[in-house]
Structures are given as C-alpha cells and as structure tokens.
Amino acid sequence: MLKVVKFGGSSCADAAQFAKVRSIVQADPSRRVVVVSAPGKRFRDDHKITDLLYLCAAHIKYGVGCDDIFGLIRARYRDIARGCGLDIDLNGEFDVLWEKIQNGISKDEIASRGEYFSAKLMAAYLGFEFLDAALWVKFRFDGSVDQEASYEALRRAADGRGVVTPGFYGVMPDGHIKTFSRGGSDITGALAAAALDADVYENWTDVSGILMADPRIVKDPAPISHITYNELRELSYVGAQVLHEGAVYPVREKHIPLNIRNTNDPTHPGTLIMEKIDDDADKSDTFITGIAGKKGFSIITIAKTSLSSEHGILLQIMEVLEKHRINVEFILSGIDTVSLMVSAAEVSRQLYEVLGELQKRLKPNSITVSEHIAIVAAVGRKMAYRLGTSGKLFATLGDNGVNVRMITQGPDELNIIVGVEEKDFEQAIRVLYDSFVKEK
Ligand code: ASP
C-alpha cells in the first residue's frame, strides 16, 4: 500500500502546522511519499512565501533592492526550524541564493525556492529523504511535462523509501528550473502518485473536502463525500473552484482515487474522487453532488423562417464565430431559431462586427442578444434517469421568482444547466441548495 500525500501552503505555514503534518504522516506507514508547498499564510493578512519570492523577483527586475523581503523569507524558515526543534542550518544555502539573486536569477528559479526549503525542513522533521523535484519533474521545451521520463526518474529515485519532494517546479531539458502555474504543487503530487502507481493520492488542505456549493453564496455548505472524476469536471467547467485540471489528469488516467483532506481536522474523511463509485460506498442520500455556476454570458438568438430545413446554417454561424475566436458554450435550437450562449467578455469587443457578419451571411428575420446571463448547474450522477429531478428544479426556481432563460441537460443526465439573469444568480444557487440538499 502506498499513499502519496501532498500538503498545501496553509499546512506548511509554521511549526505548529508542520507538527500536524508529521502526526498525519506518522499515523499511517503507507504515507511514504510527501509533496509540500511553500509556507502559506498563518493568518489573514499574512504573506505567502511564494508571493514574497515573486516580489523579490519584481524588485530585481526593476533594479530595486529586496534585502528586507529576503530577510522576512529567511526568518520564516528559521522560525519553522526552531519551532520544530530542528538542528538544520539553511544559512549557507540562503547565502548562495542571495548571491545568485545579486547576479541574476530567473523568476521561476526564485519562486521555486519556497517549496525547495519547505521540503528540506519537512524531510529533516519527518526523518525522510529530501528529493529535489529538479531531479525528477522533467519538462519538455514546449513547457509540457514529459510524463514518461519524470515517472521513470521518480521510480528510480524514490525506490520504496520515505521521501519528501518539493511541489510546484521541475527542470527544463537545458537544466533551468521551471515552475507550474500558481497552485501547481497539486500537479506535482498527482504526477508522483501516477508515477508510483499509488493506491491513493491524498491532497491535504485547510478545508474538509470540496463543498457542495460556493460558501460565499450558501452558508456552511456541506462537503461532498464522494464524487466521480466526470462530475468534478462538470462542476469545475461551470465555475466551481476546485482542482487544477493538470492536478487531476495524471491520477485520473491511472484510475487512482484522489482524496481531499483537512490538515486541521485529520479525522474528517474529506472528499473522495474516483472514476466510479459504488452505491454502497457512498452513504449520502442527496442525489445532487454539487451546485455551481458562473456569470458573464450573452445569448445570441437567430430567427429565420425555415431555418431548420436549410442545410449548412449551423456551419455558417460557426464559421463566423470561429473567425472571431468566440467559443460557443451551448447551442440550443428551436424550430426556426437557434440560440448560442457565448462568453460576454469574448463577444463584447466585437459584437457589432459579429452580428453584422451573421446578418450578411444568413439573412435572418431577426437577431437578438440577451446580455447579463449566468449559468447555474446541478451536477449529480444519481440524477441520471431519475424521474422528477428537473420538475423539482424548475418548480424551485419558479416558486422563488427566478426566471429561467435557457435549459440544457447533457445526454448522460449528469447535469442540468439553466441560464438565468445575472441578478438572480445567487438566489438560484441558494434555493436549489436548500431544496435539494437541506430539505431533500
Ligand atoms: N507555492 C505555490 C503557490 O503559491 C504553489 C503551490 O502552493 O501549490 O502558488
């Protein structure tokens, strides 16, 4: 049994958090491969180490000194080392880094040091070996990860031992350090789990899993206990802030379950993401897995007599949109109308040009544009083929004065998506949550 465990910034923020990490790792001998982020915020107005490192990089770029910021960074690690009772001296390495900073260092390399030093301390604290990510996370020149080479390198380097490896960065073929985008330690963890064919990839954060709805809209939403990779993809597509796509793909590809856990509440089972979920495993009785949505859409409706019987109309519409690089989120067709839901930001700058071209090519009876549209989606594998779900959904929205402007349901019945006016967005999410989750 092998568990690859990744701890995010808040789990590595100070010595007290390091202690929690150690007890989690020590509680289960199969937690042998540990990936860490740079220390994050200890309290609300605190600074993340990665932000401070980027700040140093910006100062260097404009030729301004960053001694103070560098001093703060050094002090954070010194405090963690002291608080953990570690007899480890990072001064020599910090001096070398400072020297490098004076002589020119890349933004990626400086940012990567946050996770590097975090992993050095965590390895010493756990009594595990430190494994530099530059030795195994291998990028190609085009910036993609060479999975095969990376997996092979990690397999050789880890070789059954307890290791701590920094998240967030790897190495280019020419030896330069390259980072992922922000939050990228999740990707490192997923790559490590996939490389080692782990039984589970545990991603430890400061929340007890993925929430069923956005907590800024719904008060105290319940965490999702089980979710499939497909459902997760649907929820993030419609706006839920969950894991980075790159952090899901490597484990999903290998059918490795991903478990989101809370370092501050380690007995909570969190959210388990799997390819398929056994009905017996999931005891929850809500048949909606989550509710999400986002604002910022427009609906372009084209009406033309005999539109349905004319060949190639859709193709022509698509050609116009493609030419203007406008992505169509949803297409809905009526007998002699077709409606296209598009991102307002993409279309707004060139709206009249696009409408003009559609007018010229299609010669429709009318083209109308509805702006300020939001989408709201109820996602749930248990909704499929279950009678009454959509009836309940529309009744809930109608009873609460939310006007539905568009309806779509995927053929696999994994979701129902409605378009509503932006002003009704929060209300729609709240009433759906109350009716499907709270009242059931
Ligand atoms: N430390 C990096 C960041 O703040 C990467 C991570 O924590 O995942 O974005």
Side-chain angles (χ1 to χ4, degrees), residues 245-376:
E245 184 69 13
V248 172
Y249 177 72
V251 275
R252 178 171 191 181
E253 197 184 33
K254 291 217 161 181
H255 297 276
I256 297 170
L258 199 169
N259 190 193
I260 306 206
R261 302 285 294 266
N262 188 352
T263 302
N264 304 317
D265 186 7
T267 54
H268 193 291
T271 299
L272 191 60
I273 310 163
M274 296 165 88
E275 198 53 45
K276 253 185 118 107
I277 293 165
D278 214 329
D279 280 345
D280 298 339
D282 178 10
K283 300 270 182 285
S284 77
D285 49 1
T286 49
F287 60 98
I288 292 273
T289 304
I291 298 164
K294 56 183 173 189
K295 294 182 179 176
F297 293 95
S298 294
I299 300 177
I300 303 175
T301 301
I302 302 163
K304 184 176 184 186
T305 316
S306 74
L307 180 139
S308 302
S309 47
E310 254 180 61
H311 287 292
I313 290 253
L314 267 184
L315 185 65
Q316 293 191 48
I317 297 174
M318 288 308 175
E319 276 173 3
V320 173
L321 295 171
E322 164 64 22
K323 186 177 144 200
H324 292 272
R325 302 230 151 277
I326 296 168
N327 200 16
V328 178
E329 301 282 334
F330 301 103
I331 302 188
L332 301 137
S333 57
I335 303 213
D336 283 332
T337 58
V338 57
S339 288
L340 311 149
M341 192 167 209
V342 293
S343 142
E346 276 178 25
V347 82
S348 63
R349 271 168 284 123
Q350 37 190 348
L351 182 65
Y352 293 121
E353 251 176 273
V354 173
L355 297 184
E357 259 174 72
L358 288 171
Q359 180 77 44
K360 205 163 132 203
R361 285 186 68 166
L362 310 172
K363 307 207 172 34
N365 303 47
S366 69
I367 303 184
T368 49
V369 181
S370 307
E371 292 178 296
H372 309 295
I373 301 290
I375 54 170
V376 173

Side-chain angles (χ1 to χ4, degrees), residues 34-286:
V34 180
V35 177
V36 289
S37 279
K41 291 186 181 192
R42 293 160 293 182
F43 43 87
R44 224 181 59 149
D45 296 325
D46 197 16
H47 304 292
K48 292 181 179 182
I49 288 290
T50 309
D51 290 337
L52 294 177
L53 289 163
Y54 278 125
L55 202 56
C56 273
H59 277 68
I60 302 160
K61 185 171 167 201
Y62 294 106
V64 182
C66 61
D67 312 47
D68 292 357
I69 308 165
F70 195 73
L72 284 176
I73 297 168
R74 207 191 258 253
R76 282 285 292 276
Y77 289 98
R78 187 201 53 219
D79 289 350
I80 295 174
R82 276 198 197 143
C84 292
L86 288 173
D87 184 22
I88 177 172
D89 186 7
L90 295 177
N91 275 324
E93 288 210 62
F94 269 111
D95 290 343
V96 172
L97 177 59
W98 184 239
E99 188 99 340
K100 246 184 157 178
I101 289 175
Q102 313 298 316
N103 297 320
I105 184 171
S106 76
K107 188 173 158 194
D108 279 22
E109 182 167 355
I110 190 164
S112 74
R113 296 305 87 184
E115 317 343 75
Y116 174 87
F117 286 116
S118 186
K120 279 244 148 157
L121 291 183
M122 191 62 83
Y125 192 44
L126 295 175
F128 281 13
E129 218 148 305
F130 168 77
L131 173 64
D132 193 344
L135 296 178
W136 72 272
V137 178
K138 298 183 186 286
F139 286 100
R140 299 192 188 91
F141 277 120
D142 67 4
S144 62
V145 175
D146 183 340
Q147 287 192 0
E148 234 170 85
S150 304
Y151 290 1
E152 179 56 31
L154 182 62
R155 262 181 239 130
R156 256 187 284 120
D159 193 28
R161 292 173 303 162
V163 295
V164 179
T165 192
F168 192 39
Y169 72 93
V171 68
M172 292 293 274
D174 62 2
H176 283 102
I177 295 285
K178 175 175 165 54
T179 56
F180 291 109
S181 56
R182 295 299 304 261
S185 299
D186 284 341
I187 306 175
T188 313
L191 291 169
L196 302 171
D197 285 312
D199 295 278
V200 57
Y201 168 34
E202 288 180 348
N203 190 310
W204 291 82
T205 63
D206 54 5
V207 285
S208 296
I210 302 172
L211 300 172
M212 293 188 76
D214 186 338
R216 288 166 303 183
I217 301 174
V218 170
K219 193 165 178 291
D220 294 331
I224 298 171
S225 67
H226 292 74
I227 182 169
T228 64
Y229 280 113
N230 270 336
E231 289 174 299
L232 185 74
R233 166 111 184 94
E234 301 257 350
L235 277 178
S236 41
Y237 188 76
V238 292
Q241 304 276 323
V242 275
L243 291 162
H244 201 288
E245 184 69 13
V248 172
Y249 177 72
V251 275
R252 178 171 191 181
E253 197 184 33
K254 291 217 161 181
H255 297 276
I256 297 170
L258 199 169
N259 190 193
I260 306 206
R261 302 285 294 266
N262 188 352
T263 302
N264 304 317
D265 186 7
T267 54
H268 193 291
T271 299
L272 191 60
I273 310 163
M274 296 165 88
E275 198 53 45
K276 253 185 118 107
I277 293 165
D278 214 329
D279 280 345
D280 298 339
D282 178 10
K283 300 270 182 285
S284 77
D285 49 1
T286 49

